[in-house]
Amino acid sequence: MSDPQAMPAVMRLARVLDRFPALAVAVSGGVDSLTLASFAHSHGVRLRVIHAVSPAVPAEPTARVRQLAAAQGWDLTVTGTGEFDDPRYRDNPVDRCYFCKTNLYDRIAGLTEWPIASGANLDDLGDYRPGLIAAAERRVVHPLIEADMTKADVRALARTLGLGAVAELPAQPCLASRVETGIAIAAGDLAFVEVAERRLSALIGGGTLRCRITHQGVAVELGEEAMEQAGAVDALMAGLCGEAGRVYAGSRAYRRGAMFVGGERIGA
């Protein structure tokens, strides 16, 4: 019998999906979940795609999900998650993602009896991901992890599937990940972050950037490729913060998990 690990990633994923004649895929709008849904659909899995919207989800990923669903003919459900009704989430502890995913998967379970699948990949296991604990408690399956697929594998599959720009999407955690631990999650802060990051992206031409809500004020983190534009970034952000009555704490180099004060850090 052949060794599954010796198979190409796409063949391993196909073998995993063969166990599921029907699957409800939680799609965030990022490359991982979109690629999983696209491949499952092309593989003949009876598919229900569920996308959750909330103040923590930018408009762009939702538009992307709707566009791909229409192009491929997915059975798409867009639903709210209700995490903002959960004070444990709004308090923004280090394990905030646990409460977010608890609300998400409970909402999806109320919409379908099919197994629920996430787009987590093998690289996600190297970060502190309390959301994976919520998933395990609810028996959510992770086909990309079962197929030993890394982020690079997922991007390669997305290109093979002809998903275009989706294959090159940068990591884009939810907007709540921009808020420093211990600062309550507020819809107004997240709306400010979304607008600021959209303006910043247009200014610097894309790349890695984060608008952070910190205890010292609003800060911007830039990838190495954008640091030479820090002066223009500071000018833009000083204006935005002034208009919004916020303190601007300046720009700095991007650092993963920078919003976690104490405890462990995750990639955000």
Side-chain angles (χ1 to χ4, degrees):
M1 182 177 293
S2 61
D3 178 3
Q5 299 310 310
M7 293 178 169
V10 65
M11 293 180 64
R12 297 197 302 271
L13 181 58
R15 177 171 287 190
V16 170
L17 292 177
D18 284 342
R19 304 200 330 261
F20 303 102
L23 205 57
V25 179
V27 171
S28 66
V31 58
D32 300 313
S33 57
L34 287 174
T35 301
L36 173 61
S38 296
F39 183 78
H41 179 76
S42 68
H43 193 62
V45 177
R46 189 180 178 195
L47 189 67
R48 186 168 184 185
V49 173
I50 299 177
H51 174 68
V53 294
S54 85
V57 178
E60 185 178 355
T62 298
R64 190 182 303 127
V65 171
R66 290 187 182 279
Q67 182 179 26
L68 197 53
Q72 296 194 7
W74 294 347
D75 176 7
L76 173 65
T77 298
V78 177
T79 183
T81 59
E83 78 269 31
F84 272 73
D85 297 327
D86 187 342
R88 302 170 300 175
Y89 168 85
R90 295 197 311 272
D91 286 346
N92 195 20
V94 173
D95 58 349
R96 180 198 68 247
C97 291
Y98 172 84
F99 302 111
C100 175
K101 296 301 186 184
T102 292
N103 283 279
L104 170 64
Y105 294 134
D106 285 350
R107 177 64 59 92
I108 294 175
L111 296 172
T112 181
E113 295 181 353
W114 294 355
I116 301 169
S118 87
N121 69 70
L122 202 61
D123 292 343
D124 294 327
L125 299 181
D127 286 326
Y128 173 57
R129 302 257 177 183
L132 291 176
I133 300 173
E137 292 173 350
R138 288 154 181 79
R139 299 184 179 180
V140 173
V141 297
H142 311 291
L144 300 176
I145 291 177
E146 288 191 49
D148 285 320
M149 293 184 68
T150 64
K151 177 73 80 173
D153 293 327
V154 175
R155 293 192 188 282
L157 177 56
R159 297 183 192 105
T160 298
L161 293 170
L163 297 184
V166 168
E168 313 307 327
L169 286 173
Q172 194 69 18
C174 78
L175 295 175
S177 70
R178 314 299 201 270
V179 182
E180 200 165 60
T181 301
I183 299 175
I185 301 297
D189 284 344
L190 303 190
F192 176 84
V193 167
E194 182 176 5
V195 170
E197 290 192 354
R198 188 184 307 125
R199 294 279 301 274
L200 288 168
S201 183
L203 175 69
I204 68 176
T208 301
L209 68 90
R210 299 286 189 270
C211 175
R212 308 288 202 186
I213 304 294
T214 78
H215 290 272
Q216 289 74 44
V218 176
V220 172
E221 293 187 356
L222 300 169
E224 183 178 353
E225 70 283 359
M227 285 302 295
E228 62 184 24
Q229 301 184 66
V233 166
D234 289 339
L236 173 61
M237 288 304 300
L240 289 178
C241 288
E243 293 170 6
R246 296 173 181 269
V247 174
Y248 182 50
S251 57
R252 61 198 188 197
Y254 169 70
R255 183 168 63 91
R256 295 181 69 187
M259 291 298 89
F260 283 77
V261 178
E264 297 181 77
R265 293 164 47 195
I266 71 169

